[in-house]
Amino acid sequence: MGVPKFFRYTSERYPCLNELVKQYQIPDFDNMYLDMNGIIHNCSHPDDSNPHFRITEEKIFQDIFHYLSILFQIIKPKKLFFMAIDGVAPRAKMNQQRGRRFRSAREAEKLEADAKEKGEVLPTEKRFDSNCITPGTVFMARLHEQLKYFVKHKMSTDPLWSKVKVILSGHEVSDVM
């Protein structure tokens, strides 16, 4: 959901936050905090305008893990890596998200119908339903379990990960204190 005007507030007070850095100029960071929702959505439905696009849950998980690995490799936090998946949202926010997701599902159906009218052959697999990216769904529970496994694997096999405290705040968490 975010905090209104927070980005502008921090950008005005700390202008160095918006500097473009080159690969060899990345400063040292003690902590890295990630809002996982943008990553999950980008990896699960990167091309909603393509009626031919299909993706499996396994591929979504692989893409998320790859994305996390790349980010971690670039930033190289020294002390803490905190990954947060939005927990239960207030009712009004849930209603807003649900409305937006149903509109996008309706648009996807229209794109598919238009493609069929043009004579295009569409894949037989079902499209990924982004409505399942909601706290409490089976998809989110599976993702959380896969993320826990991924983190354990990285911490036991990757020296960079083993030196850092990793916290995964999952979809079932309503407040992080």
Side-chain angles (χ1 to χ4, degrees):
M1 187 162 133
V3 179
K5 300 181 184 171
F6 182 68
F7 179 74
R8 191 169 117 203
Y9 170 86
T10 54
S11 298
E12 288 171 352
R13 279 153 187 79
Y14 308 99
C16 293
L17 291 176
N18 292 328
E19 286 183 11
L20 185 63
V21 294
K22 294 180 175 58
Q23 183 70 26
Y24 57 87
Q25 294 177 327
I26 296 176
D28 287 340
F29 292 97
D30 286 334
N31 305 320
M32 180 173 160
Y33 298 90
L34 277 183
D35 178 351
M36 293 289 295
N37 287 1
I39 294 170
I40 295 167
H41 281 280
N42 285 340
C43 292
S44 63
H45 52 109
D47 192 3
D48 282 339
S49 63
N50 181 357
H52 298 276
F53 181 77
R54 299 294 188 271
I55 192 166
T56 64
E57 197 171 277
E58 183 179 316
K59 174 76 168 123
I60 292 169
F61 295 162
Q62 288 172 354
D63 289 350
I64 290 169
F65 303 152
H66 178 71
Y67 200 112
L68 290 173
S69 296
I70 297 295
L71 281 176
F72 194 94
Q73 185 64 34
I74 291 170
I75 302 301
K76 295 181 179 121
K78 306 278 186 250
K79 296 179 183 176
L80 174 72
F81 181 30
F82 187 96
M83 296 177 282
I85 299 173
D86 278 355
V88 180
R91 187 71 187 158
K93 171 98 171 130
M94 292 289 276
N95 290 340
Q96 178 190 40
Q97 286 175 333
R98 185 173 291 122
R100 186 173 56 239
R101 289 178 181 155
F102 280 115
R103 272 192 305 281
S104 69
R106 197 176 319 122
E107 289 169 9
E109 287 175 3
K110 184 178 178 340
L111 284 170
E112 285 186 1
D114 292 347
K116 285 179 182 175
E117 279 182 25
K118 294 177 188 174
E120 297 177 23
V121 179
L122 296 174
T124 55
E125 301 93 22
K126 285 181 63 176
R127 290 177 61 95
F128 177 75
D129 182 10
S130 64
N131 284 311
C132 69
I133 305 174
T134 301
T137 62
V138 173
F139 172 81
M140 293 301 284
R142 280 195 297 262
L143 173 61
H144 185 75
E145 288 304 311
Q146 291 295 315
L147 281 168
K148 286 192 318 191
Y149 176 78
F150 169 75
V151 168
K152 285 179 185 173
H153 174 74
K154 291 300 272 186
M155 291 182 79
S156 63
T157 61
D158 188 326
L160 282 176
W161 283 70
S162 65
K163 297 174 186 166
V164 175
K165 180 178 182 178
V166 179
I167 298 173
L168 173 61
S169 174
H171 68 104
E172 72 284 350
V173 177
S174 60
D175 239 342
V176 177
M177 296 279 202

